[in-house]
Amino acid sequence: MRYISTRQPATNRETLGFEDVLIAGLAPDGGLYVPTEIPKFSAAEMRRFRQLSYAELAAEVLAPFVGDAFHRDELLAILEDAYAGFDHRAVAPLNQIGSGEFLLELFHGPTIAFKDYALQVLGRLFDAVLARRGERVTIVGATSGDTGSAAIEACRDRENIDIFILYPHGRTSAVQRRQMTTVKSPNVRTLAVEGSFDDCQDLVKAMFADVPFRNRHRLSAVNSINWARIAAQVVYYFAAGVALGAPDVPISFAVPTGNFGNVYAGHIARAMGLPVAELVIGTNRNDILYRFIETGEMRITSVEPSLSPSMDIQVSSNFERLLFEVSGRDGAALAAAMAEFRKSGHLPASRETWNATRGLIRAHRVDDDETRATIAQVYRETGELLDPHSAIAVAASRAKGRKDGTPRVALACAHPAKFPDVVEEVTGRYPPLPAHMADLMTRPERETPIANDLAAIEAYVAANVAGNNEGSRA
Ligand SMILES: *Cc1c(COP(=O)(O)O)cnc(C)c1O
């Protein structure tokens, strides 16, 4: 399998293999990597998938994307190890909440949100490639609380990776902070910066901009646009699909959407042969994608906080991959359009591009009131507690999913205990943490407060990368 960038002119015929795409993340021209062709499964192959474990199915789905970068046995061993710690035997179980209506529970990983399904694989693939090359990297990142723990869990105990996560001291929830500060792995460091989330982001950017420092410590990022993440997310669409009768039954999916990575994986599953009746995105008040699908206008507005913070985004970076496809795979034209978007906040898109997008994806916008109402309604109907992101998926599925009896699947992307306050406010029940995290609030915690100061943070990183693990660790 070969890959190209979404911004690569057609005259440039250079392609990359999986290993290079995995390590690079973002293409040097600012584009995103996409495969030159999408592999397709036959109906007979999909029927055979019904008998496989989740890790075995993942190996089937990933193998064509990985190509010869990993032997089949090595890939399967990595996938079995990645999913071994998940707290449900099915890894991504379906939970029926109504007639023909299902939740796809994607919160059985270490941080109880769906990003674990790809990041647990990505960290291991990364580590294996680094070992082969005899290289190490230092991952640095900033978090407002939500994504830091998924990155930490992806990188902890990996031999060739050190990870440093900056978060704003005193400004994350206790659960978010403890998911980061109670990890004891020697290659994980969390820094409580005396400042805001924006300060943390600026510090990370400044570290990358400090070229001697960046090179000396081989800085890298856990990229949200890595193709390997998309590929790993395709797996649970197939898992749910074949469990509900695909390829002989078409399935509708509804996906709470921010960066467009999750729903894009559903689009790829369909391109690989899974019969998808309807692919519906749910957005919150930050509704740039909903507005595009409804009106054909893509225009940036300011980000406003909502009950579903993991979807509070201004620009959905993975949408560029779909745009590339529906606008005729013209990298030069897309590069120009993205430059215009960055400059003016308005994306020039033709009527054909808009129509092609609308033909693939429907959208529903769910404000905080409808989110609360959906949590309450599903609790009344079934006793099931939904986190706000999952509630948006259910609302979108009910509003725009196919009503002809084909199974409707809403992606439950976080455990209710991850966002307990709104769940309790609406249902009167405080969702307990799952068993593997039940002692989170009493685990010993180690906070490392540090000044909002680049020199102090670089000194800390330098003193604590591999070989210096004695550092501040008592
Ligand atoms: C990241 C995230 C989303 C958004 O997913 P995208 O792939 O960015 O569209 C939705 N819900 C939860 C709980 C998330 O963590």
Side-chain angles (χ1 to χ4, degrees), residues 298-320:
M298 184 166 293
R299 197 178 290 282
I300 292 177
T301 52
S302 62
V303 178
E304 288 173 39
S306 77
L307 290 176
S308 42
S310 302
M311 297 158 61
D312 291 345
I313 51 102
Q314 199 169 32
V315 176
S316 303
S317 39
N318 278 292
F319 191 66
E320 180 169 339

Side-chain angles (χ1 to χ4, degrees), residues 113-115 146 233 256-263 310-311 318 387 389 413-414 419:
F114 92 95
K115 292 187 180 69
D146 235 25
Q233 288 169 187
T257 295
N259 247 327
F260 203 75
N262 199 359
V263 67
S310 302
M311 297 158 61
N318 278 292
D387 104 283
H389 306 77
C413 287
F419 301 93

Side-chain angles (χ1 to χ4, degrees), residues 292-363:
F292 178 67
I293 287 178
E294 291 297 303
T295 68
E297 285 278 310
M298 184 166 293
R299 197 178 290 282
I300 292 177
T301 52
S302 62
V303 178
E304 288 173 39
S306 77
L307 290 176
S308 42
S310 302
M311 297 158 61
D312 291 345
I313 51 102
Q314 199 169 32
V315 176
S316 303
S317 39
N318 278 292
F319 191 66
E320 180 169 339
R321 290 188 157 116
L322 190 78
L323 274 178
F324 180 65
E325 199 181 308
V326 298
S327 58
R329 298 177 77 86
D330 182 344
L334 187 55
M338 296 310 292
E340 171 66 27
F341 189 35
R342 177 161 283 267
K343 200 169 87 209
S344 71
H346 177 255
L347 181 86
S350 70
R351 202 165 182 87
E352 294 78 61
T353 295
W354 177 43
N355 280 331
T357 306
R358 283 197 300 167
L360 293 167
I361 286 165
R362 313 186 70 189

Side-chain angles (χ1 to χ4, degrees), residues 25-369:
L26 193 70
D29 59 16
L32 281 64
Y33 288 114
V34 287
T36 50
E37 64 198 308
I38 300 290
K40 237 182 145 107
F41 294 119
S42 69
E45 281 174 302
M46 282 185 268
R47 288 190 197 103
R48 195 173 51 78
F49 289 172
R50 294 173 186 161
Q51 292 139 42
L52 303 181
S53 72
Y54 191 84
E56 288 166 343
L57 174 64
E60 294 284 341
V61 171
L62 289 176
F65 292 116
V66 165
D68 55 11
F70 286 87
H71 288 296
R72 191 57 177 250
D73 292 349
E74 191 188 357
L75 179 62
L76 181 60
I78 284 173
L79 291 163
E80 284 184 332
D81 187 54
Y83 294 117
F86 282 49
D87 74 357
H88 194 290
R89 278 188 61 205
V91 179
L94 286 163
N95 177 3
Q96 187 160 9
I97 55 167
S99 159
E101 192 182 28
F102 301 84
L103 294 174
L104 176 58
E105 293 183 355
L106 299 175
F107 49 69
H108 293 283
T111 74
I112 60 176
F114 92 95
K115 292 187 180 69
D116 291 333
Y117 286 73
L119 282 173
Q120 286 296 310
V121 176
L122 190 72
R124 284 165 174 81
L125 293 176
F126 221 84
D127 203 33
V129 168
L130 292 171
R132 236 182 249 175
R133 296 180 169 187
E135 294 174 2
R136 293 190 65 83
V137 294
T138 304
I139 306 264
V140 294
T143 184
S144 58
D146 235 25
T147 54
S149 57
I152 287 171
E153 291 295 337
C155 296
R156 69 182 294 175
D157 304 323
R158 307 268 71 87
E159 287 191 4
N160 304 294
I161 302 174
D162 289 293
I163 178 165
F164 295 81
I165 295 290
L166 280 54
Y167 64 94
H169 194 192
R171 301 196 199 184
T172 62
S173 78
V175 169
Q176 287 172 334
R177 186 189 71 239
R178 286 184 151 271
Q179 281 193 292
M180 300 190 280
T181 56
T182 60
V183 174
K184 289 201 219 100
S185 307
N187 70 328
V188 173
R189 302 291 170 141
T190 54
L191 294 175
V193 174
E194 304 298 351
S196 66
F197 170 57
D198 288 338
D199 293 331
C200 295
Q201 268 194 318
D202 289 344
L203 287 162
V204 168
K205 279 189 199 147
M207 272 190 271
F208 275 96
D210 179 348
V211 175
F213 181 81
R214 182 176 77 196
N215 292 341
R216 188 170 335 120
H217 298 295
R218 304 190 55 90
L219 294 198
S220 183
V222 194
N223 244 316
S224 68
I225 42 68
N226 201 299
W227 176 264
R229 271 178 84 165
I230 302 290
Q233 288 169 187
V234 172
V235 178
Y236 45 74
Y237 287 92
F238 274 100
V242 300
L244 292 171
D248 305 300
V249 176
I251 321 287
S252 291
F253 291 95
V255 189
T257 295
N259 247 327
F260 203 75
N262 199 359
V263 67
Y264 180 72
H267 166 72
I268 294 298
R270 174 165 58 191
M272 293 174 81
L274 187 72
V276 174
E278 210 76 77
L279 197 52
V280 186
I281 63 174
T283 75
N284 62 25
R285 66 200 296 176
N286 299 294
D287 61 352
I288 185 165
L289 286 172
Y290 169 76
R291 283 184 281 117
F292 178 67
I293 287 178
E294 291 297 303
T295 68
E297 285 278 310
M298 184 166 293
R299 197 178 290 282
I300 292 177
T301 52
S302 62
V303 178
E304 288 173 39
S306 77
L307 290 176
S308 42
S310 302
M311 297 158 61
D312 291 345
I313 51 102
Q314 199 169 32
V315 176
S316 303
S317 39
N318 278 292
F319 191 66
E320 180 169 339
R321 290 188 157 116
L322 190 78
L323 274 178
F324 180 65
E325 199 181 308
V326 298
S327 58
R329 298 177 77 86
D330 182 344
L334 187 55
M338 296 310 292
E340 171 66 27
F341 189 35
R342 177 161 283 267
K343 200 169 87 209
S344 71
H346 177 255
L347 181 86
S350 70
R351 202 165 182 87
E352 294 78 61
T353 295
W354 177 43
N355 280 331
T357 306
R358 283 197 300 167
L360 293 167
I361 286 165
R362 313 186 70 189
H364 184 61
R365 176 190 193 275
V366 184
D367 62 18
D368 282 355
D369 287 342

